[in-house]
Amino acid sequence: PNAIAEVREAVDFLRYYAAQARDHFANDTHRPLGPVVCISPWNFPLAIFTGQVCAALAAGNTVLAKPAEQTPLVAAQAVRILREAGVPEGAVQLLPGRGETVGAALIGDERIRGVMFTGSTEVAGIISRNLAGRLDAQGRTIPLIAETGGQNAMIVDSSALTEQVVMDVISSAFDSAGQRCSALRVLCVQDDVAERVIRMLKGAMAEYKVGSPEHLATDIGPVIDAEAKANIERHIKTMGDKGRKVHQIARAQGDACSRGTFVLPTLIELDSLDELGREVFGPVLHLVRYPRARLGELLEQINGSGYGLTLGVHTRIDETIAQVVNVAKVGNLYVNRNIVGAVVGVQPFGGEGLSGTGPKAGGPLYMYRLLGARPQDAVANQLRQESGATAQAEAKAPLAALRNWASKQDPALAALCDRYAALSQSGRTQLLAGPTGERNSYSLLPRETVLCLAQEKADLLAQLAAALAVGSRVLWQDDAQTRTLLSSLPTEVRDRIALVADWATGEADFDALLHHGDSDQLREVSKLAAARQAARGGAIIGVHGLHRGETDIPLERLLIEHALSVNTAAAGGNASLMTIG
């Protein structure tokens, strides 16, 4: 089933990006970046590899494809098929090898114009720092699209149907031997029902068979290699030595497990989420109990981990669903269903924070990040043409206040406010096609804080208008010019701006950076941003450079994407539970 689903996903990627290029792109207006490096992981050796390569090709780029060192043969077959289908030999080059050698050489080559990476958060940070300070011929930074791991959680309250919870937990945590980016790592169960859930979960685990995937009776195969097996087993032993309850119950098929890299599915009961550090990439599920009254604190803890890939919630209470949906900082959220198996175009996939830079794979913004130039209204026009879209939120009040202020003393800025208001897609929610009994929606939300750097007053105000148009807060470097400008602005606008003495070393947080200036200044800013990320260990910050006086600010880069998938058929049982506060 995993192999069939992966082939299907690869086909979905090919069709999705080809349709986007056909319907919305034009050779004379949508210009490619140039040579793009695609570094793909071993856990989806066909689907992710194909998704990266075909998106870059569909946007008009040439591709240097570096598959994971564990899975070069699948990648070789994929490239062979692409060439049989008519992709020119020079358009995609397969470069198998180790990351430390082939990958490092590719990233370090001055000729590359973009990097797509799926893998660990640590390696994404290394790539980001290697790209810092490098610009293309137009004086732009080299874009990095990184999709990394997650400490993915599922919240289960006492109203949830235990049988359905256990079924979805088993598939989320142990399918593909837990070797999915989206796999369930932490199960958070309301303490009232924890014992019942654990008892049923252990019973389900006892029915699972571990062994060679060549046997149809096998439920769980091996982990990728001996190093992965050793790391996982070391974590399990460490938790056991700490006194945590460790359950390994599944059955091994024959003697194959004694020779291969197999790890029995494992359930570990923890006292707190704080006991977890980095992601354990394998068939290991951690369980934490929480009291109903502290659901809000639990959500804060999950957000506080810094990861933001997937989150699940099982409940039959609408208010609980709304609370989780409104607070969770994750790219993909699932309600009353499993949290794996995202479908291209139905659940666009990708996280935020430590889980990735965006945009989402299999989503409408992905290919735009692979372009060197496009019309300023291209993204807005495409999203407006998509079926199932609802009207986005009304124009933001601070932007209206800035526009009114500018109309009296800066007509060019007033016109810019109107243009950004018309182009902004922040607040847009779109229903996506999906199976009966499931509701899938895609939303665009503002990044919380945008650092705006410029020497010219007009450029600072353009950046401010762009950030206010999507609903972000603004951070300015504290100097004489920004203090004077800030004091002259309306109160509604001032309330959205903060000053920082030294953004490169200060504690003020931001999740996007706009810079107007020359190439030398942009190189320095890019290096400082990368050094800041390395020192703080936080998320990779996108640096978007513009030339002085340029107003074509890509508003989509100030947005984050959320995908919500709701199993609408799961509210069965006692319908009165849906109305309980």
Side-chain angles (χ1 to χ4, degrees):
N2 285 175
I4 293 168
E6 181 154 5
V7 172
R8 186 174 291 159
E9 184 175 350
V11 173
D12 286 347
F13 273 127
L14 289 162
R15 290 177 170 162
Y16 182 86
Y17 294 130
Q20 185 170 350
R22 179 195 62 203
D23 296 342
H24 304 292
F25 283 33
N27 287 340
D28 57 339
T29 56
H30 295 66
R31 307 301 298 169
L33 291 168
V36 171
V37 174
C38 296
I39 301 177
S40 54
W42 50 260
N43 61 335
F44 285 90
L46 179 66
I48 294 179
F49 177 86
T50 303
Q52 289 182 346
V53 169
C54 70
L57 289 174
N61 302 287
T62 52
V63 174
L64 302 154
K66 209 296 285 184
E69 61 200 59
Q70 297 94 333
T71 54
L73 297 181
V74 176
Q77 183 65 12
V79 171
R80 192 174 296 120
I81 293 169
L82 284 173
R83 288 180 175 168
E84 288 175 2
V87 174
E89 185 171 327
V92 55
Q93 294 293 317
L94 179 68
L95 294 157
R98 295 179 63 84
E100 301 91 331
T101 53
V102 176
L106 287 171
I107 298 299
D109 197 295
E110 293 293 332
R111 293 168 291 181
I112 65 167
R113 291 294 175 261
V115 177
M116 305 165 76
F117 171 78
T118 300
S120 73
T121 303
E122 292 80 8
V123 174
I126 293 171
I127 294 173
S128 176
R129 291 191 288 277
N130 285 338
L131 295 176
R134 288 162 55 186
L135 308 180
D136 63 16
Q138 286 73 46
R140 311 287 191 192
T141 53
I142 307 299
L144 168 63
I145 299 177
E147 193 267 285
T148 54
Q151 201 64 276
N152 309 309
M154 180 185 289
I155 298 170
V156 177
D157 75 3
S158 58
S159 74
L161 185 65
T162 308
E163 290 82 358
Q164 183 193 350
V165 168
V166 169
M167 179 177 65
D168 289 341
V169 167
I170 289 286
S171 61
S172 299
F174 303 131
D175 189 46
S176 305
Q179 298 173 118
R180 293 172 177 261
C181 306
S182 56
L184 176 60
R185 307 297 179 201
V186 189
L187 178 62
C188 307
V189 186
Q190 189 174 330
D191 48 16
D192 307 63
V193 293
E195 289 301 328
R196 172 175 167 79
V197 170
I198 292 171
R199 186 167 60 250
M200 193 173 290
L201 189 55
K202 288 163 63 177
M205 290 170 63
E207 295 300 312
Y208 265 58
K209 297 175 182 175
V210 178
S212 173
E214 66 188 346
H215 301 301
L216 291 177
T218 295
D219 297 302
I220 299 175
V223 296
I224 186 64
D225 54 28
E227 182 183 0
K229 173 182 167 72
N231 289 338
I232 296 166
E233 290 182 338
R234 189 180 305 115
H235 170 77
I236 294 170
K237 182 178 185 302
T238 298
M239 287 298 171
D241 291 345
K242 286 183 176 180
R244 303 297 170 256
K245 293 181 180 178
V246 177
H247 310 282
Q248 284 187 319
I249 311 164
R251 293 175 287 169
Q253 288 281 94
D255 64 348
C257 292
S258 63
R259 300 196 305 271
T261 55
F262 296 90
V263 177
L264 291 177
T266 305
L267 174 65
I268 302 174
E269 297 186 50
L270 302 179
D271 291 339
S272 168
L273 271 175
D274 297 334
E275 296 182 65
L276 282 178
R278 58 178 297 165
E279 180 183 24
V280 179
F281 208 76
V284 179
L285 174 65
H286 306 88
L287 186 141
V288 175
R289 305 167 193 239
Y290 74 94
R292 169 69 193 178
R294 294 188 176 176
L295 175 59
E297 294 177 27
L298 175 65
L299 287 167
E300 287 180 10
Q301 275 190 299
I302 294 172
N303 287 340
S305 73
Y307 291 98
L309 191 57
T310 63
L311 175 71
V313 57
H314 268 265
T315 178
R316 287 185 282 180
I317 300 175
D318 276 352
E319 287 185 1
T320 301
I321 295 173
Q323 181 181 0
V324 174
V325 170
N326 291 336
V327 172
K329 296 180 179 180
V330 294
N332 290 70
L333 201 156
Y334 301 91
V335 178
N336 291 327
R337 51 153 291 178
N338 65 35
I339 66 171
V340 294
V343 177
V344 176
V346 179
Q347 295 110 13
F349 188 75
E352 58 192 79
L354 295 175
S355 295
T357 62
K360 282 179 171 290
L365 301 184
Y366 197 73
M367 280 176 56
Y368 286 100
R369 197 69 183 95
L370 297 167
L371 293 174
R374 84 286 186 273
Q376 188 174 13
D377 60 355
V379 173
N381 286 342
Q382 177 181 328
L383 291 173
R384 290 182 188 122
Q385 293 169 22
E386 300 284 352
S387 60
T390 61
Q392 65 262 42
E394 294 181 5
K396 309 296 185 290
L399 178 66
L402 179 64
R403 196 246 180 246
N404 291 338
W405 175 83
S407 64
K408 300 170 185 175
Q409 50 191 307
D410 191 345
L413 176 60
L416 203 55
C417 290
D418 290 337
R419 193 205 316 173
Y420 290 154
L423 294 175
S424 174
Q425 298 300 300
S426 181
R428 174 178 289 273
T429 296
Q430 177 178 339
L431 293 179
L432 303 177
T436 301
E438 189 175 278
R439 183 180 186 273
N440 294 286
S441 59
Y442 167 83
S443 300
L444 292 168
L445 303 169
R447 293 190 179 274
E448 288 188 13
T449 304
V450 180
L451 173 63
C452 297
L453 299 176
Q455 292 182 326
E456 305 294 333
K457 174 183 173 183
D459 292 334
L460 274 175
L461 289 171
Q463 295 171 350
L464 174 62
L468 295 181
V470 300
S472 299
R473 291 185 173 275
V474 169
L475 191 64
W476 278 347
Q477 179 75 33
D478 188 359
D479 56 36
Q481 177 179 241
T482 54
R483 286 195 296 271
T484 301
L485 181 55
L486 182 63
S487 65
S488 69
L489 294 171
T491 302
E492 300 95 321
V493 179
R494 289 201 305 270
D495 289 344
R496 303 293 293 178
I497 303 171
L499 299 179
V500 59
D502 184 356
W503 67 267
T505 59
E507 291 301 312
D509 288 321
F510 54 93
D511 46 359
L513 193 161
L514 293 176
H515 175 269
H516 275 83
D518 61 33
S519 295
D520 289 340
Q521 292 169 334
L522 180 56
R523 285 192 184 93
E524 184 62 24
V525 165
S526 176
K527 290 177 182 178
L528 287 172
R532 184 181 193 273
Q533 185 270 329
R536 293 163 60 99
I540 295 171
I541 302 297
V543 178
H544 311 298
L546 302 110
H547 301 297
R548 286 192 178 95
E550 187 176 352
T551 59
D552 185 3
I553 297 175
L555 299 184
E556 70 272 11
R557 297 187 195 172
L558 306 182
L559 299 174
I560 55 174
E561 305 164 276
H562 281 184
L564 173 64
S565 183
V566 180
N567 177 7
T568 57
N574 186 352
S576 66
L577 285 172
M578 297 291 288
T579 62
I580 295 176

